[in-house]
Amino acid sequence: MSDLSPPEQAQALVASMAAGDRSALAGLIRLYGRGIESFAARTLGNVADAEDVAQEVFLRAWRLAHRYDPAKAAVSTWLYRIAVNLCIDQRRRRGLRQFLGLDTPELGDGPVDPAPDVEQQTDARQRLAQLTPALQALPQRQRMALLLKVVAELDTAAVAAALGTSPGAVEQLLVRARGGLRARLEEEARQTRENGMKGRPER
């Protein structure tokens, strides 16, 4: 299987999973586990929740392997669509638990950096890691579209398939997300300049 491209390897692994081969699931996790967990961590802002989501993605992939249709989507798109739905569900559950007073943010739950290998990062990923607080302030679908594009490295059509929308709608989400990030960063820069001026001694 080593002479196959990653998408071809993934399709072969899912076919083996559908036939009951558990070792194929481990192979699929090696291919996409890190990317799925990184996407979930940046979407949810919590490493523990991201690990739960990533585990559930692959459990569902195992259970649903017999239903996967390679004519409809690449394996990566299929997995990320599962991840998107699980992240949405997780945020809804967290919001409900906080509303009912059953779950409160812990002091250590600040912006998350899953610590990917720096040597393998692109400039876009490095910049994204620095933008975590601003990302969390974006509307959910804008944030997911941007993360699928940059972190998961999906093309626009694959992002659209993962989000269940059209490529044109994805482009609009990306335009708004980038605009929102720029506006927030400009505001933060302005506040930093103003605070710096306030701290200067008068002459």
Side-chain angles (χ1 to χ4, degrees):
M1 189 181 293
S2 60
D3 57 342
L4 299 177
S5 67
E8 291 171 335
Q9 288 182 44
Q11 287 191 13
L13 289 168
V14 173
S16 296
M17 286 163 52
D21 183 358
R22 289 187 177 274
S23 65
L25 177 59
L28 197 68
I29 292 172
R30 283 194 295 272
L31 274 179
Y32 296 112
R34 186 173 183 175
I36 293 286
E37 189 170 324
S38 179
F39 165 73
R42 296 193 188 285
T43 299
L44 299 172
N46 183 292
V47 169
D49 288 346
E51 291 173 348
D52 290 342
V53 164
Q55 183 177 19
E56 183 62 24
V57 166
F58 290 102
L59 286 175
R60 291 196 182 188
W62 170 258
R63 292 196 299 267
L64 300 174
H66 64 286
R67 294 172 54 183
Y68 168 70
D69 183 354
K72 292 184 177 179
V75 173
S76 58
T77 303
W78 179 59
L79 292 175
Y80 276 103
R81 183 157 195 175
I82 295 173
V84 164
N85 291 332
L86 288 172
C87 285
I88 291 171
D89 290 344
Q90 181 80 333
R91 291 183 72 89
R92 285 173 179 165
R93 286 196 298 272
R94 184 194 297 171
L96 178 61
R97 287 179 63 83
Q98 290 179 359
F99 178 76
L100 295 175
L102 300 175
D103 193 19
T104 55
E106 298 181 2
L107 293 177
D109 287 351
V112 172
D113 184 357
D117 185 353
V118 174
E119 293 181 356
Q120 297 179 354
Q121 286 181 326
T122 62
D123 289 341
R125 288 190 183 187
Q126 291 173 340
R127 288 195 297 270
L128 193 64
Q130 299 169 354
L131 296 176
T132 300
L135 280 170
Q136 293 300 315
L138 290 175
Q140 180 172 271
R141 285 180 70 80
Q142 291 181 25
R143 180 171 62 254
M144 286 186 169
L146 192 60
L147 291 172
L148 286 168
K149 185 77 171 177
V150 178
V151 175
E153 297 182 343
L154 300 183
D155 61 26
T156 301
V159 174
L163 293 178
T165 188
S166 68
V170 168
E171 292 292 352
Q172 288 298 313
L173 288 170
L174 292 173
V175 167
R176 291 170 186 160
R178 290 168 184 142
L181 286 177
R182 280 196 300 269
R184 183 180 177 92
L185 292 175
E186 288 171 359
E187 176 62 19
E188 289 178 355
R190 184 187 65 79
Q191 291 180 358
T192 298
R193 288 196 301 271
E194 290 181 352
N195 291 337
M197 292 177 67
K198 289 178 182 178
R200 291 179 183 174
E202 294 183 3
R203 294 181 178 179

